[in-house]
Amino acid sequence: MYRVWLRPRLWAGLASTRPASSGAAEPFLSGSSGAYVEQMYEAWTQNPSSVHKSWDAFFRNASAGAVPGQAYSPPPPLTHSPSSPSPRVTEGSTHQSMTNITEHLNVQALIRAYQIRGHNIANLDPLGINDADLDDSMPPELIANEGLDMDKEFTLPKTTMIGGGEKALPLREIISRLRTIYCGSVGVEFMFINDRQKCDWIRQRFEPPGVFQMTDEEKKILLARLIRSTRFEEYLAAKWPSEKRFGLEGCEVMIPAMKEIIDHSTVRGVESYVIGMPHRGRLNVLANVARTPLERIFHEFNPMLDPQDEGMGDVKYHLGTTNTVLNHFSEREITVSLVANPSHLEAVDPVVQGKTRATQFRRNDESGKTCMSILLHGDAAFAGQGVVYETFHLSDLPDYTTHGTVHMVVNNQIGFTTDPRVARSSPYCTDVAKVVSAPIFHVNADDPEAVLHVCRVATEWRATFGKDVVIDLVCYRRHGHNEMDEPSLTQPLMYKQIKKHEKLVEMYARKLVEGNVVTQEDYEKEKNKYDQICKDAYERAPKIVPFHRDWLDSPWKGLHTYIHTYIHTYIHTYIHTYIHTYI
């Protein structure tokens, strides 16, 4: 059938490929392929480099006397020198090659598994008693195959940045870095986003070594803000122990978190902030974010207020304000508006978005670069109230978008007196945000440095993509639904743990003292400084003149003049025209 080739040893290696052969064969040499093979062989004898590397390897192996069926071998790797002969492939080397490929694929699958499901085993609960996703099981895909050598180095795929400048790492180190990034104090949910660019963007901000590091000066500012957040609540509790105030105890880091968002948004050009929130922590936000004078807040606790005086009763933690203040981080003036909100916790969401959209329209801001919205939520309300879902679906509509909202969930892990395991069907209270592909950053509220890193990433996400983003502050509620409730009646185990849980400001201060960032004297001095500010404001509070409409979150200067002008100009003109035309 075939003519005998010039080299007898080559033909001996190919003889069994004839149709009558019963042994192992090179199947591609049957039928009409023979003529093509002969052409390749003739070319190879003249110049081995004139044929593909796979044919070069085949002809070399056949000439060397390879047994039938084994003359073909895969082409050499790209790093193989063309001038050196192709290595002879044996059954053992082929098996080893397949094993290496399988191991590398398993490692890549493990890296991807941590990116997808690492958040399920992240250390998110400050109390250490709950799983934020309501599931205490270990996802099987996060367990490395038993056959893998933990000390063997593996080349890192392009889909991860854990190596920094390193191209390969031992498997033990790969797993250690993945667990630190995705299973530590931060749980990142982002792999459901169907956009490779956005996923790579998030990886770039969490995976490279050292991205969570802060300077000593940044740590000092963080401690000072934690002191103000904590001491404000403690001062109110000491002065008005029988008053409901819906304090922030258990999530004091929310104040530094909000200020971090505002600081880093302001340097990017944002000048106006519209904030919506429930009543928990509202007084603290008024004092330390919107910077309402403390004497005004203390005045609202005055039991001598008349019923007609705005600020009496429970409205102090429902009303809002608007202040123009100097942002010390950027040295720019900004406007902070906290929108009033009823007890229907999430009712304020579309109001905030409408106000933000209107402000952007008035400023001719078509991309949301000068005005942005920040929405704070409770965990139970975020999962349970339909207006949240409805508001998310406005976020990308051309006529309603505010070009990205930063959502911050104060996740007390309880709704009034209801355990989340019997309050929702989804793993997380934040799952509703996935409908608009918003990345979700779960973070342990007792790790303030991790909280601030997440806030910076969220701020940059909003500025870069103009899309919503969610920060899930997993914390606890030190008191009951309000300060008059006794939570141990319905959550005895949780509140047994809370009573012995150290306050965040004390833990963080001790960490900085041990790290020689501050001294104990510095810490005490900063506390005493803010205590004196509160005392001075308390002494001024009785002198406050009863105020009206000071709580309005959008005071409109010249409103009455505008209305008078509008009525006189437009209504009078319309009536005059109508009379002369139709009567």
Side-chain angles (χ1 to χ4, degrees), residues 400-414:
Y400 295 90
T401 181
T402 58
H403 307 285
T405 297
V406 177
H407 299 264
M408 186 179 294
V409 180
V410 178
N411 189 347
N412 298 314
Q413 307 182 80
I414 189 172

Side-chain angles (χ1 to χ4, degrees), residues 309-467:
D309 289 331
E310 299 185 51
M312 60 80 59
D314 72 344
V315 292
K316 53 182 168 288
Y317 42 77
H318 284 298
L319 301 183
T321 190
T322 291
N323 291 321
T324 299
V325 298
L326 177 67
N327 177 261
H328 297 291
F329 184 78
S330 63
E331 295 299 323
R332 298 176 182 175
E333 273 200 347
I334 60 173
T335 300
V336 180
S337 294
L338 179 61
V339 178
N341 191 32
S343 290
H344 187 73
L345 303 178
E346 301 291 343
V348 75
D349 297 354
V351 177
V352 167
Q353 303 297 54
K355 179 178 171 66
T356 305
R357 174 76 181 193
T359 303
Q360 293 172 352
F361 177 80
R362 191 178 64 202
R363 290 169 171 262
N364 293 319
D365 181 2
E366 297 182 355
S367 56
K369 299 298 184 183
T370 65
C371 178
M372 66 174 284
S373 54
I374 302 174
L375 282 175
L376 278 67
H377 314 266
D379 51 320
F382 198 64
Q385 293 190 222
V387 68
V388 176
Y389 180 83
E390 295 164 351
T391 304
F392 267 117
H393 274 291
L394 295 174
S395 63
D396 278 342
L397 299 182
D399 293 331
Y400 295 90
T401 181
T402 58
H403 307 285
T405 297
V406 177
H407 299 264
M408 186 179 294
V409 180
V410 178
N411 189 347
N412 298 314
Q413 307 182 80
I414 189 172
F416 192 29
T417 61
T418 306
D419 189 297
R421 288 170 292 186
V422 294
R424 65 174 187 262
S425 298
S426 61
Y428 294 104
C429 64
T430 53
D431 285 339
V432 63
K434 294 180 181 179
V435 299
V436 292
S437 294
I440 302 167
F441 306 133
H442 310 280
V443 58
N444 188 322
D446 266 8
D447 188 342
E449 293 180 13
V451 171
L452 261 60
H453 178 72
V454 160
C455 290
R456 292 171 185 169
V457 174
T459 301
E460 190 179 355
W461 169 275
R462 191 262 173 192
T464 303
F465 299 107
K467 302 291 184 180

Side-chain angles (χ1 to χ4, degrees), residues 234-302:
E234 292 176 347
Y235 190 82
L236 292 183
K239 285 296 182 182
W240 297 279
S242 61
E243 282 276 353
K244 291 191 299 182
R245 53 187 169 81
F246 293 92
L248 197 55
E249 291 97 330
C251 194
E252 293 91 344
V253 75
M254 187 188 84
I255 298 302
M258 292 185 67
K259 293 178 78 70
E260 191 77 4
I261 292 170
I262 291 174
D263 286 348
H264 286 268
S265 295
T266 302
V267 297
R268 288 179 168 85
V270 178
E271 302 170 353
S272 179
Y273 299 86
V274 185
I275 303 172
M277 66 177 298
H279 39 284
R280 184 167 310 285
R282 177 175 287 259
L283 296 180
N284 212 319
V285 171
L286 282 168
N288 290 310
V289 178
R291 286 161 50 188
T292 297
L294 292 180
E295 53 266 31
R296 286 212 175 274
I297 296 174
F298 296 161
H299 177 74
E300 295 177 15
F301 283 91
N302 183 359

Side-chain angles (χ1 to χ4, degrees), residues 121-136:
I121 59 171
N123 178 29
L124 299 178
D125 180 17
L127 303 176
I129 58 177
N130 287 328
D131 295 281
D133 66 344
L134 310 183
D135 185 355
D136 61 358

Side-chain angles (χ1 to χ4, degrees), residues 53 75-87 155:
K53 291 182 175 64
L78 295 178
T79 56
H80 182 70
S81 173
S83 60
S84 62
S86 300
T155 301

